[in-house]
Amino acid sequence: MSDTPIRIATRGSPLARAQAEEVAARLRSAHGLPEEMTEVVIFQTSGDRIQDRALAEAGGKGLFTKELEEALLDGRADIAVHSAKDMPTVLPDGLVLTAFLEREDVRDAFLSRVAGSLAELSAGAVVGTASLRRQALVRRLRPDLKVVTFRGNVQTRLRKLEEGEVQATLLALAGLKRLGAEHEATGVLGLDDFPPALGQGAITVETRADDARVIPLIAAIDHAPTAAALTCERAFLAVLDGSCRTPIAGHAVIDGDRLRFRGLVLSPDGAQEFEAIAAGDAGDAEAIGRTAGEDIVARAGAEFLAALKALS
């Protein structure tokens, strides 16, 4: 291979940097590369800069990927590392998702200094989260709680929690684990009541579609079961035109050559929901996800889906 280092684009948050360093370490291990052959390059994204309002009001999840993708397209980076749940279903022309690392725990963590679980919070307690999915799920389970938008990286949210700005918040358990901060979780929310965001817990690598040098290197760190699960989840999301403004949850599980999927679409207030459950051969992951999405489209009705689309 070339003596030119592989430049890895990432956001600057501690979690994003940890994920980029994990990709770099796996690449070096897979190919016996010295440390200087991987270079992490930090970019600030629009999503990092905008802290005064919900991302839904500013343009959605693409705000966390746009600047990294621009760096790929203009040659300032060779690969970009993302949290899979941040990725839009439509990528810029010329870019592809080349690998998914083995998935971490997909569940959400409950964090509070006044209660041991969501069920133990007092009526009227304030729960902070920027995720419309989490907001809807909290309202579905505890309509008596006050849910507010809560932005910032993991460290910022922990600080705000300590300062009493909210009584509880929710974070991806995978992110806490990658930061060595799993001990911050007061509890873990079960998947039946609190299904994850599509893609949650997975790291993905994006490359230029025609990069003959990098793509074979990245292929060595792809985890096929995770890739199949995410293919299903992203197909489901694509049918529903999901964005940060749409309360959508879902989780695909690979067991040998079989795939099981559960998807859920909610109204923002959590009062309405439509669920799809599907299973099949893991090789048909995309079709399974797409069919599950089409099933919800058929059952939800035009009025419900039009309301969701208006939020997008």
Side-chain angles (χ1 to χ4, degrees), residues 75-91:
R76 287 175 291 152
D78 301 304
I79 68 175
V81 176
H82 309 279
S83 294
K85 66 183 179 63
D86 290 337
M87 295 303 296
T89 54
V90 178
L91 303 181

